Amino acid sequence: MQTLFTNIKELLQVREASVAFVAGADMNILPTIKNAFLLVEEDRIATFGPMESCPTLAGKEVVDATGKILLPSWCDSHTHLVYAGNREEEFKDRIKGLSYEEIANKGGGILNSAKTLQATSAESLYQQSKVRLEEVMRLGTGALEIKSGYGLIPEAELKMLRVIKRLQEETSIPIKATFLAAHALPEAFKSNKMGFLRNMLNEVLPVLKAEDLASAIDVFCEMGYFSPEDTAEILQAAQAYGLVPKIHVNQFNAIGGVAVGVQYNARSVDHLEILTDADVAVLQGSKTMPVALPGCSFFLGIPYTPARKIIAAGLPLALASDYNPGSAPSGNMNFIVSTACILMKMTPEETINAATINGAYAMELEEEVGSITVGKKANLILTKALSSLTVLPYAFGSSNIEQVYINGKPI
Ligand code: NIG
Ligand code: FE
């Protein structure tokens, strides 16, 4: 089957030859074609170009995109969208003045989500998660990563990973699975962190490998959670299983975790709300993608990742939702892109690069999605009629999407 988009006001993120990611000053360059066509064959981008060279319409499904913008769907490289229940009671506590940390210290936070998840059946977990996944797909997400990490006991981590696998098998968009081995220390291991880590790794890694449940490993490297030394130990153990590191780091404190991530060739280092000059220096010359999660900063009222500092240092930056029940209960990438412009002072062009090709790189999908390139998956966003691409982030909270296409088909 062939679908031909004609009269596209502007086709965004056009890369004749795919790039792995864009960095520094290049992030502000978003290649586009005005008055364009794009042809989809089966599930792939077959060709595109200016309207003058548009192929004949005969025998094709034609979508007239007059006045509308077409761009690659969002690549959300950091989510926890498999979770059970939610944490609206903690939300009210925070409104009354308790901090994220204070809530976690009284047994709320990640431990609260773990308790609920442990008591939830795999079927129910799958059903709850599928609703969220379908919602973010309608909001334009065409590839994403999902982490475990709310199990905190091996059996429940495996339950999460198997639910992620089922979502991978039953969903039409690429999903990457990450084993978040160390998210918080459960009560039972309060004074035995090493025991917790050994148990988790020894019990989960062999099963994960046998059942092919994940391609990446994650750790929450933070004061009061897991140290840079713990992080190194986990990333070391994961090497034997071929798992790619992607770590939570520098959310509240800079404690040297970025350097550990880079040392172990982390694909991405995520959060970075607190970022030192030493962290920036370590990232320069590495292949590690910094990932900002502005939904978390917005929801918790913590600092925003210093995008200008990162980009000025010549580094790349990706944007992701962090969709989770505690610090970012929304997977809406349109909101993420707006927030990055409004509060992180990124340009619209930078945010689109960050939320497409750089997000794809952060989850090792840059050859499959993230740009308008022949052979890539036809996962696309068709906007409503817009005066320019700037309206996408500018009109925050508005629904600017007319239709999402996954594998070339409208959803
Ligand atoms: O990425 N920072 C660690 N993990 C999640 C939040 C976890 C939670 O509060 O449930 C995050 O923000
Ligand atoms: Fe996260």
Side-chain angles (χ1 to χ4, degrees):
M1 186 179 133
Q2 294 187 317
T3 305
L4 180 63
F5 294 85
T6 60
N7 305 309
I8 306 162
K9 180 184 172 105
E10 196 165 8
L11 181 62
L12 308 186
Q13 189 61 301
V14 171
R15 307 276 175 180
E16 292 282 342
S18 186
V19 292
F21 59 81
V22 284
D26 289 344
M27 283 196 65
N28 199 29
I29 301 169
L30 184 70
T32 76
I33 303 176
K34 290 194 168 136
N35 193 24
F37 79 91
L38 179 135
L39 180 68
V40 172
E41 258 169 33
E42 301 302 333
D43 61 336
R44 302 274 155 180
I45 297 170
T47 180
F48 55 84
M51 265 316 275
E52 300 90 83
S53 44
C54 184
T56 101
L57 310 190
K60 303 177 182 80
E61 184 85 27
V62 176
V63 179
D64 180 6
T66 300
K68 300 167 188 173
I69 291 170
L70 192 67
L71 69 154
S73 54
W74 305 128
C75 298
D76 188 355
S77 69
H78 181 141
T79 88
H80 308 247
L81 80 65
V82 169
Y83 61 82
N86 57 31
R87 306 225 294 268
E88 77 258 36
E89 291 308 319
E90 294 181 9
F91 178 55
K92 288 195 281 183
D93 287 343
R94 281 201 306 103
I95 291 168
K96 288 188 203 130
L98 283 188
S99 70
Y100 182 77
E101 203 179 358
E102 284 163 340
I103 290 167
N105 289 342
K106 39 171 226 164
I110 296 166
L111 298 186
N112 182 0
S113 285
K115 203 167 122 201
T116 313
L117 187 133
Q118 288 170 14
T120 301
S121 70
E123 180 60 28
S124 169
L125 188 59
Y126 171 79
Q127 295 300 342
Q128 294 179 41
S129 306
K130 191 166 170 250
V131 171
R132 295 182 199 114
L133 181 58
E134 287 171 351
E135 187 201 4
V136 300
M137 285 170 65
R138 285 193 299 273
L139 291 165
T141 295
L144 87 170
E145 181 253 22
I146 308 175
K147 301 172 194 298
S148 69
Y150 286 118
L152 302 191
I153 52 172
E155 177 200 343
E157 284 300 317
L158 287 168
K159 175 166 68 183
M160 289 189 80
L161 290 167
R162 290 181 183 126
V163 165
I164 300 172
K165 182 159 184 160
R166 188 171 162 200
L167 291 170
Q168 284 174 328
E169 288 166 352
E170 297 182 8
T171 311
S172 51
I173 64 170
I175 297 177
K176 298 291 271 198
T178 299
F179 171 36
L180 174 41
H183 201 188
L185 199 57
E187 200 58 49
F189 285 93
K190 198 107 201 158
S191 48
N192 183 13
K193 190 161 63 171
M194 272 306 141
F196 168 76
L197 291 180
R198 299 242 159 84
N199 181 51
M200 187 58 88
L201 296 172
N202 292 341
E203 296 293 315
V204 174
L205 288 175
V207 185
L208 176 159
K209 189 180 164 80
E211 296 182 30
D212 190 20
L213 294 176
S215 57
I217 183 119
D218 198 341
V219 181
F220 185 19
C221 180
E222 182 56 61
M223 259 179 210
Y225 292 83
F226 298 92
S227 68
E229 293 71 29
D230 301 332
T231 304
E233 170 136 353
I234 296 163
L235 301 188
Q236 182 76 48
Q239 271 180 352
Y241 292 84
L243 296 177
V244 174
K246 288 171 62 67
I247 62 172
H248 284 73
V249 70
N250 288 36
Q251 182 177 4
F252 302 107
N253 300 282
I255 56 172
V258 172
V260 173
V262 169
Q263 185 194 336
Y264 283 88
N265 290 319
R267 188 68 175 192
S268 71
V269 285
D270 303 28
H271 274 290
L272 310 178
E273 287 87 340
I274 308 299
L275 191 67
T276 66
D277 292 344
D279 293 326
V280 169
V282 141
L283 285 165
Q284 284 169 327
S286 79
K287 294 233 152 47
T288 300
M289 177 65 65
V291 179
L293 308 167
C296 171
S297 299
F298 176 82
F299 190 73
L300 295 185
I302 63 175
Y304 285 82
T305 302
R308 295 269 45 104
K309 176 173 176 166
I310 291 170
I311 295 170
L315 294 172
L317 183 63
L319 288 166
S321 73
D322 199 15
Y323 196 178
N324 77 74
S327 70
S330 163
N332 186 343
M333 284 295 286
N334 306 287
F335 174 77
I336 297 301
V337 162
S338 280
T339 306
C341 287
I342 297 163
L343 291 157
M344 295 164 68
K345 305 297 173 203
M346 291 174 71
T347 67
E349 289 79 5
E350 286 171 339
T351 61
I352 292 172
N353 276 318
T356 58
I357 190 66
N358 284 4
Y361 177 86
M363 52 180 162
E364 295 186 290
L365 284 175
E366 73 278 12
E367 287 177 10
E368 197 58 9
V369 288
S371 64
I372 301 294
T373 303
V374 170
K376 281 198 175 180
K377 260 191 183 302
N379 290 3
L380 307 163
I381 295 172
L382 182 66
T383 70
K384 295 176 179 163
L386 300 179
S387 47
S388 80
L389 71 92
T390 301
V391 176
L392 278 176
Y394 160 79
F396 76 94
S398 286
S399 169
N400 297 308
I401 296 180
E402 177 162 293
Q403 182 66 60
V404 173
Y405 292 83
I406 299 296
N407 297 319
K409 291 175 196 67
I411 60 158

